[in-house]
């Protein structure tokens, strides 16, 4: 399948426009050895061939897709400058663009005021949120579900915060009774609710977790690295919608523009409801912050140098595709969820498979029916390979028995976990491609 070459011409036009901003400078055009560049680039392209085809709708494996063309082009355009959003000295325009883009993400959750910034990704964004929590609740534990992203336990260890793992219910959501029992022990200062778990796209019961705050004083952080943008979708189930409607009531939120926001990697976002938490970031720098008395992004973020290009790409994407309910971007998310429901229904009708849960967002997980859990896992692994041989790229996920039992995929539980197939149908085109995906899946299963 050819890549999009047409939009490349637009980059040349935009570059000429960018040049206009520096026209008064004396001529200075570094010369490049075009032959050497060409050879190296061709060699680079050849190395890159050894990748899964993330750009193609037959890739439904991990949460991977190429950025939107506008993000790709805006990122590339800014590479002629390479802004650094640590300080206004390094990225004056791109820092302003970052502030505007982050404010638009905050408004998506109803926040008119906030403190927030972009960062390397979901892990760094969650690190900052947990670090601020630690400063506000010293010595107290972090609680997150057993389906929360694996980095939460690691981040808690890094921050020397005790960690409490809360079990999940049969549909992969944090068990609120178990959370209540943990809170009653009196040691937990922060609860992480995951709004869209990585493995199954489950949404923790936010209204019930928020209700617990009336009895226990904890900070509530939402990890919506994967799921956050679904607040704009118009086809969520009622329970999922209720959870999304309450995201704005928490203390901090993480959303990854580099997952569902159509951005190149290196673009996470952390938001705090109370701008006063900025006090924890206070530090002195010997050589930046002289160019303006305005707040520099480095004064409210843990990292120092950061790619201004990430902000430029995000800003351009939001100009083209604003975060509005019913807009083009929102319709793309709804299409992905529609594709997930189509896949789920088809799997339900197929006696070879047992989908574990009705998808809340755009991830579908299913087991291969077999006499025992061990055999089901082995069949899932074989089917994963057989699909890949037909250019249909799925993922595998290891899920606990509690999330699989109600689908009854096996007669005998000889193991407490099940390897399941997993599809992230996150491209809007997946809805149209679903019939083809199902044909290939079926052929692979027959083989
Ligand atoms: C819910 C959730 N949180 C955090 C992360 C980590 O994000 P990153 O890979 O951007 O560091 C992920 C990654 O998939 C995720 O799904």
């Amino acid at each position: 399948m050819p890549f999009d070459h047409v939009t490349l011409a637009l980059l040349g036009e935009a570059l000429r426009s960018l040049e206009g901003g520096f026209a008064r400078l004396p001529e200075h055009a570094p010369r490049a050895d075009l032959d050497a560049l060409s050879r190296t680039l061709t060699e680079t392209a050849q190395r890159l061939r050894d990748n899964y085809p993330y750009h193609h709708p037959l890739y439904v494996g991990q949460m991977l897709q190429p950025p939107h063309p506008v993000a790709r082009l805006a990122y590339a355009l800014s590479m002629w400058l390479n802004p650094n959003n640590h300080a206004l000295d390094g990225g004056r325009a791109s820092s302003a663009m970052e502030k505007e883009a982050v404010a638009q993400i905050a408004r998506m959750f109803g926040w008119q005021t906030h403190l927030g910034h972009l960062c390397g990704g979901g892990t760094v964004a969650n690190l900052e949120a947990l670090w601020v929590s630690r400063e506000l609740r010293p010595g107290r534990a972090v609680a997150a579900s057993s389906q929360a992203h694996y980095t939460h336990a690691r981040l808690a260890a890094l921050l020397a915060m005790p960690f409490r793992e809360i079990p999940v219910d049969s549909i992969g959501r944090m068990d609120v009774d178990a959370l209540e029992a943990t809170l009653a022990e009196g040691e937990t200062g922060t609860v992480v609710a995951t709004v869209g778990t990585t493995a199954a796209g489950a949404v923790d019961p936010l209204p019930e977790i928020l209700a617990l705050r009336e009895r226990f004083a904890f900070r509530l952080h939402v990890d919506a690295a994967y799921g956050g943008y679904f607040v704009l979708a118009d086809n969520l189930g009622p329970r999922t919608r209720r959870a999304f409607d309450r995201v704005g009531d928490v203390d901090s939120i993480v959303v990854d523009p580099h997952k569902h926001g159509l951005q190149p990697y290196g673009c996470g976002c952390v938001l705090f409801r109370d701008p006063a938490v900025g006090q924890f970031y206070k530090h002195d720098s010997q050589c930046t912050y002289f160019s303006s008395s305005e707040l520099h992004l480095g004064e409210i973020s843990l990292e120092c140098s950061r790619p201004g290009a990430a902000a430029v790409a995000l800003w351009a994407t939001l100009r083209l595709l604003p975060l509005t309910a019913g807009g083009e971007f929102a319709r793309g998310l709804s299409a992905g969820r529609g594709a997930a429901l189509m896949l789920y229904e088809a799997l339900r009708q197929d006696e070879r498979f047992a989908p574990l849960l009705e998808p809340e967002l755009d991830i579908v997980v299913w087991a291969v029916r077999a006499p025992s859990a061990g055999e089901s896992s082995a069949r899932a692994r074989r089917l994963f390979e057989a699909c890949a041989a037909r250019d249909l790229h799925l993922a595998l996920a290891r899920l606990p028995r509690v999330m699989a039992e109600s689908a009854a995929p096996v007669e005998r539980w000889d193991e407490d976990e099940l390897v399941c197939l997993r599809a992230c149908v996150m491209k809007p085109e997946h809805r149209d491609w679903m019939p083809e995906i199902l044909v290939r899946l079926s052929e692979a299963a027959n083989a």
Side-chain angles (χ1 to χ4, degrees):
M1 180 188 136
F3 288 108
D4 149 38
H5 291 243
V6 183
T7 55
L8 266 182
L10 305 178
L11 186 56
E13 271 174 46
L15 189 58
R16 274 188 289 282
S17 171
L18 174 61
E19 263 171 342
F22 303 92
R24 69 173 187 282
L25 294 171
E27 185 66 23
H28 164 70
R31 292 206 188 289
D33 175 344
L34 288 186
D35 286 340
L37 264 183
S38 168
R39 272 194 312 277
T40 313
L41 266 178
T42 306
E43 194 186 335
T44 309
Q46 278 158 1
R47 285 302 298 265
L48 280 172
R49 287 179 182 187
D50 182 26
N51 259 316
Y52 291 103
Y54 313 119
H55 60 287
H56 196 281
L58 285 176
Y59 184 88
V60 290
Q62 309 291 348
M63 287 169 198
L64 287 159
Q65 60 178 342
H68 190 279
V70 78
R72 183 164 59 214
L73 293 170
Y75 197 103
L77 179 65
S78 72
M79 282 298 98
W80 269 267
L81 293 169
N82 198 22
N84 181 340
N85 273 16
H86 167 66
L88 294 168
D89 314 43
R92 197 166 53 219
S94 51
S95 292
M97 291 159 113
E98 174 167 333
K99 288 177 194 167
E100 288 171 34
V102 169
Q104 201 180 136
I105 294 177
R107 282 197 298 274
M108 182 170 78
F109 299 109
W111 286 2
Q112 302 305 324
T113 57
H114 68 279
L115 186 89
H117 60 85
L118 301 180
C119 57
T123 306
V124 178
N126 282 318
L127 170 68
E128 295 205 22
L130 294 185
W131 168 67
V132 164
S133 263
R134 189 194 67 179
E135 299 307 293
L136 287 164
R137 302 274 193 285
R140 310 284 293 283
V142 180
S145 92
S146 56
Q147 286 292 304
H149 197 259
Y150 75 92
T151 46
H152 286 289
R154 178 186 283 180
L155 293 174
L158 185 70
L159 292 164
M161 297 166 89
F163 185 76
R164 304 277 181 269
E165 185 178 288
I166 311 296
V168 292
D169 62 16
S170 63
I171 51 176
R173 306 172 316 164
M174 181 184 278
D175 180 330
V176 181
D177 292 338
L179 175 65
E180 183 176 349
T182 298
L183 290 169
E185 291 165 9
E187 285 155 17
T188 301
T190 304
V191 173
V192 177
T194 307
V195 170
T197 59
T198 316
V203 175
D204 281 345
L206 207 47
E208 288 82 350
I209 297 172
L210 278 160
L212 288 174
R213 281 218 299 197
E214 283 156 28
R215 290 172 35 223
F216 305 99
F218 57 89
R219 272 181 75 77
L220 185 50
H221 170 62
V222 157
D223 180 357
Y226 148 65
Y229 286 103
F230 278 95
V231 72
L232 298 174
D234 63 3
N235 56 353
L236 301 179
R239 205 194 47 73
T240 312
R241 171 44 63 194
R242 275 198 297 281
F244 272 94
D245 286 346
R246 300 295 306 276
V247 171
D249 293 336
V250 309
D251 297 300
S252 52
I253 308 172
V254 158
V255 187
D256 265 359
H258 73 195
K259 290 194 171 59
H260 254 302
L262 308 172
Q263 296 308 296
Y265 281 109
C267 194
C269 177
V270 61
L271 299 165
F272 297 97
R273 186 156 57 152
D274 179 5
V277 302
Q279 61 179 298
F280 299 119
Y281 288 94
K282 203 165 162 30
H283 65 276
D284 283 327
S285 156
Q286 299 86 349
C287 49
T288 45
Y289 312 149
F290 292 105
S291 60
S292 166
S293 55
E294 205 188 311
L295 197 64
H296 303 247
L297 286 164
E299 292 172 287
I300 54 153
S301 55
L302 271 190
E303 290 168 284
C304 182
S305 293
R306 285 194 296 108
V312 173
L314 180 61
W315 184 89
T317 309
L318 295 180
R319 291 293 283 183
L320 188 69
L321 302 170
L323 302 177
T324 43
E328 188 182 339
F329 177 73
R331 289 200 301 277
L333 291 164
S334 301
R337 168 152 159 86
L341 290 174
M342 281 168 79
L343 176 56
Y344 172 73
E345 278 308 324
L347 292 167
R348 253 170 33 110
Q349 308 300 326
D350 192 322
E351 58 192 17
R352 294 168 294 184
F353 303 126
L356 299 203
L357 15 131
E358 185 173 333
E360 291 200 65
L361 303 176
D362 61 5
I363 297 179
V364 186
V365 284
W366 69 99
V368 183
R369 290 194 187 280
S372 69
E375 178 55 23
S376 170
S377 295
R379 287 184 190 178
R381 287 196 178 93
R382 286 202 294 274
L383 183 53
F384 169 79
E385 300 288 346
C387 286
R390 285 161 181 76
D391 287 324
L392 174 64
H393 298 284
L394 303 170
L396 291 169
R398 244 185 8 243
L399 293 170
R401 178 173 170 175
V402 66
M403 284 175 67
E405 249 168 354
S406 55
V410 301
E411 284 141 37
R412 193 160 47 80
W413 283 95
D414 54 345
E415 289 170 7
D416 272 338
E417 282 186 333
L418 204 55
V419 175
C420 295
L421 291 150
R422 168 171 170 266
C424 296
V425 284
M426 64 195 302
K427 300 184 183 84
E429 311 90 275
H430 277 142
R431 209 168 36 187
D432 291 342
W433 277 78
M434 197 45 71
E436 177 69 23
I437 290 171
L438 289 169
V439 166
R440 289 182 191 232
L441 175 64
S442 189
E443 282 172 7
N446 288 340

